[in-house]
């Protein structure tokens, strides 16, 4: 029993690390995000051992945080792009 629980913890830790360190796999793939949420809700959350099932909400929170960070970064890049574009337009009009 302990070995099975240990293996499940390893799988969850791999998923957690994948979300945190390799989020670019998820950025443009809404289906992958939905599949992971479904896996958390239907497989991990339904696991009889509470020490495993508690990871469902934790993984979903990490995923949500990463999506939020990605959106903030996207808006930041768009703002910088707009700023540079306007700056160039002003410089062209001055010259």
């Amino acid at each position: 029993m302990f070995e099975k629980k240990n293996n499940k913890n390893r799988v969850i830790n791999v998923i957690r690390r994948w979300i945190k360190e390799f989020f670019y796999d998820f950025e443009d793939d809404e289906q992958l995000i939905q599949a992971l949420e479904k896996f958390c809700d239907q497989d991990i959350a339904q696991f009889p051992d509470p020490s495993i099932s508690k990871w469902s909400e934790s993984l979903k929170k990490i995923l949500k945080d990463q999506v939020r960070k990605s959106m903030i970064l996207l808006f930041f890049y768009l703002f910088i792009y707009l700023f540079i574009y306007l700056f160039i337009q002003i410089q062209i009009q001055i010259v």
Side-chain angles (χ1 to χ4, degrees), residues 37-50:
E37 288 175 340
K38 182 178 176 183
F39 176 73
C40 287
D41 289 337
Q42 293 180 356
D43 295 316
I44 297 175
Q46 304 300 323
F47 201 77
D49 184 352

Side-chain angles (χ1 to χ4, degrees), residues 1 5 9 44-54:
M1 174 66 182
K5 180 179 175 181
N9 281 331
I44 297 175
Q46 304 300 323
F47 201 77
D49 184 352
S51 67
I52 301 291
S53 60
K54 71 176 181 164

Side-chain angles (χ1 to χ4, degrees), residues 4-29:
K4 286 184 179 183
K5 180 179 175 181
N6 207 13
N7 289 338
K8 288 173 179 49
N9 281 331
R10 286 185 185 135
V11 169
I12 290 170
N13 282 327
V14 166
I15 294 170
R16 183 183 54 80
R17 187 167 181 216
W18 180 30
I19 297 168
K20 281 187 167 186
E21 297 182 25
F22 302 98
F23 185 72
Y24 53 83
D25 289 341
F26 296 88
E27 284 181 331
D28 295 328
D29 196 345

Side-chain angles (χ1 to χ4, degrees), residues 15-83:
I15 294 170
R16 183 183 54 80
R17 187 167 181 216
W18 180 30
I19 297 168
K20 281 187 167 186
E21 297 182 25
F22 302 98
F23 185 72
Y24 53 83
D25 289 341
F26 296 88
E27 284 181 331
D28 295 328
D29 196 345
E30 185 65 30
Q31 287 181 334
L32 182 58
I33 291 172
Q34 290 174 355
L36 183 57
E37 288 175 340
K38 182 178 176 183
F39 176 73
C40 287
D41 289 337
Q42 293 180 356
D43 295 316
I44 297 175
Q46 304 300 323
F47 201 77
D49 184 352
S51 67
I52 301 291
S53 60
K54 71 176 181 164
W55 278 101
S56 173
E57 289 304 315
S58 178
L59 288 174
K60 287 178 15 182
K61 182 182 181 316
I62 292 168
L63 184 61
K64 183 179 178 182
D65 289 346
Q66 291 295 91
V67 168
R68 185 182 50 79
K69 287 177 189 176
S70 178
M71 294 302 292
I72 290 170
L73 195 58
L74 175 65
F75 285 124
F76 175 75
Y77 286 144
L78 287 173
F79 177 76
I80 295 297
Y81 175 78
L82 180 61
F83 178 79

